[in-house]
Amino acid sequence: MSAEKTAATAETAVPADPGSARWWAERSLADRRRRPRAGGLSTERIVETSLEVLREEGLEALTVRSVAERLGTSNASLYRHIASRDELIALIADHVMGDIRLERTGRGWRADVEALMLEMRRVILSQPLPPSAGRSQSGSGPNMLRLVEFALALYREAGLTDRQAVHTTITMIEFVGGSTSIRRSPAGRGSNGVAGAAGLRQLLDGLPADDFPALRATGNLYTAASADDVFTHGMALFLDGVTSQLPGGQ
């Protein structure tokens, strides 16, 4: 057996991490082979019930057992479809991404991308999974792949090279994902600015007067800037950067 085949065999012998591309591929194959009976368990029913548990009781309450109880079935029956809690989270993370509307505005590539970024932000901010769980397990699911496909098509049609379109798509996803994670954090920037603004002023006042002169001069603006305004500004900078890469800079 060749070294390449040996390596491939060894890789497939190890269980795929939930949410990974190989896990989604294996799951897709298994779903196609499965013949669920009418009214029986299905991935869709399991995900919808998992979302109910998550929204009503929180992430700590989300277990295979709690979902099985809500469905009125046994753990063993559910384990035929879902092997672990991590698999539940991976399925939920991608399911939520399916709420993002992938629509053209009819006003050109820039308006289309802006609409997409706002949609991504809306859905991610409203999803019940905490940022760490959602972002680590939603990269290769079918709904995420549809989003990536849509974005790549927008950038390629706008005039970016394939390499530029790929890098720009990744940058867009990371910008929206990172900004929403900060927004959802208890210590993050909200609609009224950063939490604990008075504490920052107190901290600066206790330091030598020549420390952080720029922050002292703009401190009130820095703490009061809302998450929405900061996102809008960052999105405009991002889109200006994309424009600068287009043929003719348009």
Side-chain angles (χ1 to χ4, degrees), residues 9-86:
T9 301
E11 180 182 359
T12 55
V14 177
D17 291 332
S20 67
R22 184 160 70 89
W23 181 81
W24 280 108
E26 292 172 357
R27 182 165 191 87
S28 177
L29 180 61
D31 285 345
R32 288 198 298 271
R33 291 173 173 170
R34 188 176 287 121
R35 296 291 183 267
R37 58 183 174 81
L41 283 178
S42 66
T43 298
E44 184 177 359
R45 282 190 65 201
I46 293 169
V47 171
E48 289 173 353
T49 303
S50 299
L51 278 167
E52 290 177 5
V53 173
L54 187 59
R55 289 187 172 116
E56 294 173 16
E57 303 180 44
L59 183 62
E60 293 303 315
L62 181 66
T63 63
V64 173
R65 178 185 295 275
S66 66
V67 174
E69 289 175 352
R70 288 225 180 189
L71 286 166
T73 189
S74 66
N75 289 357
S77 295
L78 201 63
Y79 275 123
R80 296 192 190 103
H81 297 260
I82 305 293
S84 67
R85 180 173 182 266
D86 285 343

Side-chain angles (χ1 to χ4, degrees), residues 139-156:
S140 300
N143 287 313
M144 188 64 187
L145 292 182
R146 279 192 283 270
L147 185 151
V148 172
E149 169 68 19
F150 185 77
L152 284 170
L154 288 179
Y155 293 126
R156 294 176 78 224

Side-chain angles (χ1 to χ4, degrees), residues 80-225:
R80 296 192 190 103
H81 297 260
I82 305 293
S84 67
R85 180 173 182 266
D86 285 343
E87 291 198 358
L88 285 175
I89 291 173
L91 289 167
I92 292 170
D94 186 70
H95 177 84
V96 169
M97 299 305 287
D99 291 336
I100 297 173
R101 297 187 293 262
L102 305 177
E103 300 174 345
R104 302 290 185 121
T105 65
R107 301 194 305 274
W109 75 266
R110 182 164 179 139
D112 290 348
V113 172
E114 183 173 338
L116 175 60
M117 294 175 73
L118 290 171
E119 263 294 283
M120 292 171 62
R121 184 174 188 258
R122 176 188 69 82
V123 169
I124 296 172
L125 286 178
S126 64
Q127 73 145 314
L129 281 172
S132 58
R135 292 194 67 198
S136 65
Q137 293 184 297
S138 62
S140 300
N143 287 313
M144 188 64 187
L145 292 182
R146 279 192 283 270
L147 185 151
V148 172
E149 169 68 19
F150 185 77
L152 284 170
L154 288 179
Y155 293 126
R156 294 176 78 224
E157 290 170 17
L160 294 182
T161 66
D162 285 353
R163 180 180 292 276
Q164 289 172 327
V166 166
H167 289 178
T168 302
T169 296
I170 295 170
T171 301
M172 178 193 72
I173 292 171
E174 292 186 349
F175 166 67
V176 178
S179 65
T180 50
S181 293
I182 294 171
R183 174 70 178 83
R184 296 177 71 200
S185 167
R189 186 176 297 274
S191 57
N192 297 316
V194 296
L200 177 62
R201 176 56 62 185
Q202 181 182 4
L203 172 64
L204 292 175
D205 288 345
L207 296 173
D210 57 350
D211 281 3
F212 308 107
L215 186 56
R216 288 177 186 275
T218 62
N220 290 337
L221 290 172
Y222 176 80
T223 56

